[in-house]
Amino acid sequence: MTDADLVRDILRMKEDMNAVILAHYYQDSVIQELADIRGDSFELSRRARETDADVIVFAGVHFMAETAKILNPTKTVLIPDMNAGCSLAESAPAHLFRRFREQHPEHLAVTYINCTAEVKALSDIICTSSSAERIVAKLPKEQPIIFAPDKNLGHYVRAKTGRELLLWQGVCTVHEQFSETRIADLRTQHPAAEVIAHPECEGVILRMADFIGSTSALLKHVQESSAQAFIVATESGILHEMRRLAPEKQLIPAPPDTTCACSICDYMKVNTLTKLHRCMKNHAPTVEVEEALRQRALRPIERMLELAEADEEQTARIVAEIRLPFSGGYDQPLR
Ligand code: 13P
Ligand code: SF4
């Protein structure tokens, strides 16, 4: 089948199944184009919770589809490829994270959404790159905080909020790879270009950046900045949406420390148009989350969504509900 045939068939099946297709900005552009909703991980979580479609087809990595299932368990959640993992999620095995929490029982755990359901269940508040700084800043000043699993995002939030965070030492292998010298060379070639970077990048790259922000913040910045050219230090899939929103701007992908010209998340790219078609045709693979685990993982995600809009009084109520010292969280065997 040609791509055009696959797209036509996918759109037909979507109607027949009463499905909604959600796609992360790091997916191939052909998948982003046919999706009902494109977004960063925060926006996709919000939309997954709100949808009244019967089936959520999640073109993203596994933790994102799993979050959709946790938030909206009566829906069938399909993912094009079950192997769409994430290096950050892999860097925090749940049994080790539990041990870490047990070693620091008075610390409240703010955990980046890039983690497994088990780690969410062992956490107090989930955050995304667009909400991490805001959430940490809202927590009581005297409260010690663990931030996991991304140490680069943790360092960034620490610098922005002035809070002393105890960091899990995970990294995103895609954002870790940007080359300082190659970006400096690009900057010499394009002196008027702004360097913009995702906070998962290493500190050395963030220090070069004119603007640092989550996926959605980078998109907004490219549209609103008076600069006409940008060196973009994040996964190159985002360039598709940037071009759509700001077609007049020049976008230069920041290169990694290899011979490649841009940085690609291989985990995201295991999802292909053919696999998207196949999962809808077969109604599989589906993402399942065991109910006791789902319930434990749900509240920390809901706290993230609630804190995004909470005033001071509501924030205090949400934080007061968190029980410390840590007492083991989810009590089933952990992966
Ligand atoms: P966002 O939270 O910005 O969507 O990023 C997700 C991600 O995986 C970044 O690498
Ligand atoms: Fe995970 Fe990094 Fe890929 Fe994002 S870019 S999904 S953090 S491996």
Side-chain angles (χ1 to χ4, degrees), residues 16-282:
D16 294 347
M17 293 159 74
N18 186 26
V20 61
I21 302 177
L22 307 185
H24 191 269
Y25 291 128
Y26 295 172
Q27 291 291 282
D28 276 340
S29 42
V30 63
I31 295 179
Q32 290 193 50
E33 278 299 315
L34 64 75
D36 297 294
I37 298 160
R38 292 181 281 270
D40 66 358
S41 49
F42 183 77
E43 178 64 5
L44 294 177
S45 299
R46 223 174 48 75
R47 301 297 283 266
R49 183 173 66 157
E50 287 168 2
T51 187
D52 52 14
D54 295 321
V55 178
I56 298 171
V57 184
F58 210 116
V61 291
H62 186 270
F63 77 79
M64 296 178 178
E66 190 175 58
T67 305
K69 184 69 180 178
I70 293 167
L71 286 166
N72 213 336
T74 61
K75 310 297 179 187
T76 299
V77 177
L78 295 171
I79 186 166
D81 190 323
M82 224 27 165
N83 296 316
C86 166
S87 58
L88 263 176
E90 287 166 13
S91 74
H95 66 287
L96 296 182
F97 186 64
R98 175 190 276 164
R99 198 178 306 155
F100 188 60
R101 287 218 66 183
E102 284 167 351
Q103 285 161 356
H104 308 282
E106 299 295 341
H107 282 63
L108 180 150
V110 178
T111 306
Y112 192 29
I113 197 165
N114 297 36
C115 64
T116 61
E118 284 87 351
V119 169
K120 288 184 174 75
L122 292 166
S123 302
D124 298 311
I125 304 173
I126 299 304
C127 69
T128 62
S129 54
S130 60
S131 61
E133 181 188 331
R134 207 167 351 121
I135 286 176
V136 168
K138 283 183 170 187
L139 298 175
K141 293 276 176 294
E142 66 286 357
Q143 174 61 56
I145 301 167
I146 286 172
F147 189 89
D150 187 16
K151 68 171 182 180
N152 291 328
L153 179 61
H155 280 297
Y156 173 73
V157 173
R158 189 192 263 170
K160 293 296 280 187
T161 60
R163 300 297 299 267
E164 195 34 67
L165 305 176
L166 182 60
L167 303 180
W168 184 270
Q169 298 296 307
V171 290
C172 160
T173 50
V174 180
H175 286 86
E176 269 273 299
Q177 276 189 19
F178 289 109
S179 159
E180 183 188 359
T181 38
R182 294 184 75 195
I183 295 176
D185 288 348
L186 275 179
R187 196 170 224 174
T188 310
Q189 289 164 34
H190 305 273
E194 281 188 357
V195 174
I196 61 172
H198 193 283
E200 285 176 18
C201 296
E202 286 182 303
V204 64
I205 303 299
L206 297 183
R207 283 190 287 280
M208 301 174 84
D210 301 293
F211 180 82
I212 300 166
S214 65
T215 304
S216 48
L218 295 178
L219 280 168
K220 191 158 176 273
H221 182 76
V222 165
Q223 291 173 81
E224 292 176 356
S225 164
S226 58
Q228 291 304 304
F230 300 87
I231 299 165
V232 184
T234 190
E235 212 273 354
S236 57
I238 190 65
L239 297 180
H240 177 75
E241 185 71 1
M242 280 180 179
R243 281 190 199 107
R244 211 178 62 78
L245 295 174
E248 73 289 1
K249 305 276 171 101
Q250 185 188 7
L251 304 168
I252 306 151
D257 236 341
T258 61
T259 50
C260 301
C262 65
S263 214
I264 290 174
C265 175
D266 291 334
Y267 296 95
M268 284 276 180
K269 272 32 178 208
V270 300
N271 291 330
T272 60
L273 191 62
T274 307
K275 289 179 189 169
L276 177 61
H277 181 268
R278 192 187 307 147
C279 85
M280 293 177 74
K281 191 162 169 232
N282 297 344

